[in-house]
């Protein structure tokens, strides 16, 4: 129970700082330095590239060396990355920061799911997935709102220092983990690189989830912040307020409806929720073309997060049930490497899509990817 609580706390704090505060702050900071959207796409793409290469490695190593070392290392690396942003003399150094962010996130993701989902047999996978999603999205929404307030009233430097402090808090929390002493075995490399033994269902899920990653990377990596700023001329605190309204809807829904995946057919539930997710993307694209009000767009974004929360808890349950119990870290991180490969492609291409085709095409392409994923999971999985 203690390990699960620490895992959830680390997840919440990380998403508060890096996926929340910096989610809103970095695009606005780079925009204030006249960095183009194409350049932003290149800078932000370093994160998912490094992350997806390292997460399966760290996930496998955590099964051998234990979770405490990797959680501590993640917290320290988060602090170092925030200080890179603080001292960066030019926007090019933010690419280095994104590399550090990828390493820090890989170390965290390598241990958070095994810590949190290790008690799934006792508490229920769907229920725990709901709490896990809530920690992510409530942290992100609150962090974005904090960022908007601090940008207006304190400046970007305070934001970078705050994220460094939060990273150190996560590092300290690692000392309270309970785990059995790990015996280092000769076959460490084989533990996470024997991918020929991974089930075909795991490999198939990895491939399919790249579509979800593309949709989320193209829209949510940095484009959503710029969209709200450019299309609606919102101030930083206005952007933060929108995220505070939209993102917690994901977390609240995860808590209230996370148990659905324990009760209903997972494939059908995922198809229904992801189809609704795709329709929300299409709706935003249409509203942008029609130059609709901010209220209607925000309503569609809330619908987007509502439907994705059900998809997220369901896919976590499917992934956990497909993974080998004694190699949970390796298999879960291997599965979600597919998501982050797609996220890298989406982030890398988002700037070019916006510059050449505009925001409506960006949202429409994301909708196509999510609808294709819904169909594939129903028919092929």
């Amino acid at each position: 129970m203690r390990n699960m609580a620490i895992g959830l706390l680390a997840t919440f704090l990380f998403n508060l700082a890096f996926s929340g505060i910096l989610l809103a702050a970095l695009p606005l900071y780079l925009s204030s330095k006249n960095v183009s959207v194409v350049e932003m796409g290149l800078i932000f793409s370093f994160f998912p590239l490094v992350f997806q290469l390292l997460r399966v490695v760290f996930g496998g190593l955590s099964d051998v060396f234990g979770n405490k070392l990797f959680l501590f290392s993640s917290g320290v690396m988060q602090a170092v990355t925030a200080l890179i942003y603080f001292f960066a003399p030019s926007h090019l150094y933010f690419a280095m920061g994104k590399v550090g962010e990828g390493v820090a996130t890989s170390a965290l993701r390598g241990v958070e799911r095994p810590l949190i989902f290790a008690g799934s047999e006792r508490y229920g996978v769907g229920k725990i997935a709901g709490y896990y999603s809530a920690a992510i999205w409530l942290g992100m929404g609150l962090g974005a709102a904090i960022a908007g307030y601090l940008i207006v009233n304190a400046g970007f430097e305070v934001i970078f220092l705050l994220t460094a402090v939060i990273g150190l808090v996560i590092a300290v929390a690692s000392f309270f983990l309970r785990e059995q002493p790990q015996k280092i075995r000769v076959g460490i490399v084989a533990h996470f690189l024997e991918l020929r033994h991974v089930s075909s269902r795991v490999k198939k899920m990895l491939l399919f989830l790249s579509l979800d990653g593309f949709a989320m990377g193209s829209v949510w990596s940095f484009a959503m912040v710029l969209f709200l700023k450019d299309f609606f001329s919102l101030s930083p605190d206005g952007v933060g307020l929108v995220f505070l309204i939209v993102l917690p809807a994901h977390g609240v829904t995860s808590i209230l409806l996370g148990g659905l995946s324990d009760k209903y057919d997972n494939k059908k539930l995922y198809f229904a929720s992801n189809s609704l997710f795709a329709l929300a993307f299409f709706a935003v694209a249409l509203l942008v073309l029609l130059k609709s009000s901010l209220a209607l767009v925000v309503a569609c974004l809330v619908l987007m997060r509502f439907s994705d929360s059900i998809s997220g808890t369901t896919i976590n349950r499917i992934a956990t049930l497909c993974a080998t119990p004694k190699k949970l870290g390796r298999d879960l991180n291997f599965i979600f490497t597919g998501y982050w490969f797609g996220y890298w492609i989406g982030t890398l291409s988002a700037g070019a899509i916006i510059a050449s085709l505009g925001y409506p095409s960006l949202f429409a392409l994301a909708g196509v990817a999510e609808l294709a994923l819904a169909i594939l999971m129903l028919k092929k999985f």
Side-chain angles (χ1 to χ4, degrees):
M1 182 64 179
R2 175 189 288 188
N3 285 4
M4 186 187 303
I6 293 174
L8 287 171
L9 175 64
T11 299
F12 173 78
L13 290 177
F14 176 83
N15 286 280
L16 175 77
F18 278 81
S19 300
I21 294 175
L22 293 183
L23 168 75
L26 286 182
L28 295 175
Y29 178 78
L30 293 175
S31 179
S32 71
K33 299 296 183 181
N34 297 317
V35 179
S36 70
V37 290
V38 176
E39 289 177 306
M40 281 193 212
L42 292 173
I43 291 171
F44 277 76
S45 70
F46 278 93
F47 165 71
L49 177 62
V50 174
F51 181 41
Q52 62 118 350
L53 290 175
L54 291 180
R55 66 175 294 148
V56 66
V57 176
F58 287 165
L61 288 176
S62 69
D63 289 337
V64 178
F65 291 105
N67 298 315
K68 183 177 294 186
L69 173 64
F70 285 90
L71 187 60
F72 174 79
S73 301
S74 175
V76 172
M77 195 62 194
Q78 289 169 42
V80 170
T81 300
L83 292 178
I84 291 175
Y85 292 146
F86 180 83
F87 289 108
S90 71
H91 68 268
L92 293 178
Y93 284 80
F94 278 76
M96 295 176 55
K98 282 296 176 182
V99 172
E101 196 173 327
V103 175
T105 311
S106 297
L108 177 70
R109 300 301 190 216
V111 300
E112 66 169 3
R113 274 192 173 90
L115 284 174
I116 295 170
F117 286 94
S120 59
E121 292 184 2
R122 178 179 177 184
Y123 298 102
V125 178
K127 183 177 181 180
I128 293 178
Y131 287 122
Y132 175 60
S133 294
I136 292 174
W137 296 100
L138 290 175
M140 289 177 65
L142 182 59
I146 292 173
Y149 175 82
L150 290 178
I151 291 171
V152 174
N153 296 281
F156 290 100
E157 292 77 11
V158 174
I159 287 175
F160 300 142
L161 290 176
L162 177 60
T163 53
V165 171
I166 293 174
L168 293 178
V169 171
I170 293 175
V172 172
S174 69
F175 290 108
F176 296 92
L177 285 176
R178 288 177 177 172
E179 58 184 7
Q180 297 296 323
Q182 303 292 319
K183 294 182 179 180
I184 301 176
R185 300 187 295 270
V186 177
I188 292 174
V189 175
H191 178 72
F192 60 85
L193 290 182
E194 286 185 346
L195 300 181
R196 64 183 180 275
H197 297 310
V198 173
S199 70
S200 59
R201 285 163 60 86
V202 167
K203 295 176 181 177
K204 192 182 297 183
M205 187 178 295
L206 178 149
L207 181 62
F208 290 173
L209 285 184
S210 65
L211 292 169
D212 187 32
F214 170 81
M216 298 301 287
S218 62
V219 171
W220 287 98
S221 59
F222 66 92
M224 185 63 71
V225 174
L226 297 181
F227 164 67
L228 294 171
K229 169 184 171 289
D230 296 339
F231 194 78
F232 294 106
S233 301
L234 292 181
S235 61
D237 51 347
V239 172
L241 180 60
V242 170
F243 276 95
L244 183 60
I245 294 171
V246 171
L247 296 181
H250 191 128
V252 172
T253 305
S254 298
I255 294 175
L256 296 177
L257 302 180
L260 288 178
S261 61
D262 291 325
K263 301 176 182 178
Y264 299 100
D265 182 277
N266 288 168
K267 290 196 303 180
K268 293 180 180 178
L269 183 61
Y270 189 80
F271 174 77
S273 59
N274 229 55
S275 296
L276 184 60
F277 191 31
L279 289 176
F281 276 113
F282 292 137
V284 173
L286 180 61
L287 291 174
V288 173
L289 286 174
L290 297 176
K291 301 186 184 301
S292 297
S293 67
L294 175 62
L296 288 176
V297 171
V298 169
C300 286
L301 294 179
V302 170
L303 177 63
M304 190 183 296
R305 299 267 49 100
F306 167 81
S307 54
D308 189 40
S309 69
I310 302 175
S311 296
T313 54
T314 305
I315 205 68
N316 272 299
R317 184 177 192 276
I318 295 173
T320 301
L321 294 178
C322 288
T324 303
K326 292 184 178 180
K327 296 182 179 179
L328 197 61
R330 183 201 67 181
D331 285 3
L332 287 179
N333 284 282
F334 180 59
I335 287 172
F336 288 98
T337 295
Y339 172 90
W340 285 101
F341 176 78
Y343 195 97
W344 171 59
I345 297 297
T347 302
L348 187 62
S349 60
I353 294 173
I354 294 169
S356 58
L357 300 175
Y359 287 108
S361 296
L362 186 73
F363 287 106
L365 287 173
V368 169
E370 293 293 354
L371 185 59
L373 174 60
I375 295 172
L376 285 171
M377 287 294 293
L378 182 65
K379 299 294 184 181
K380 301 294 184 180
F381 197 76

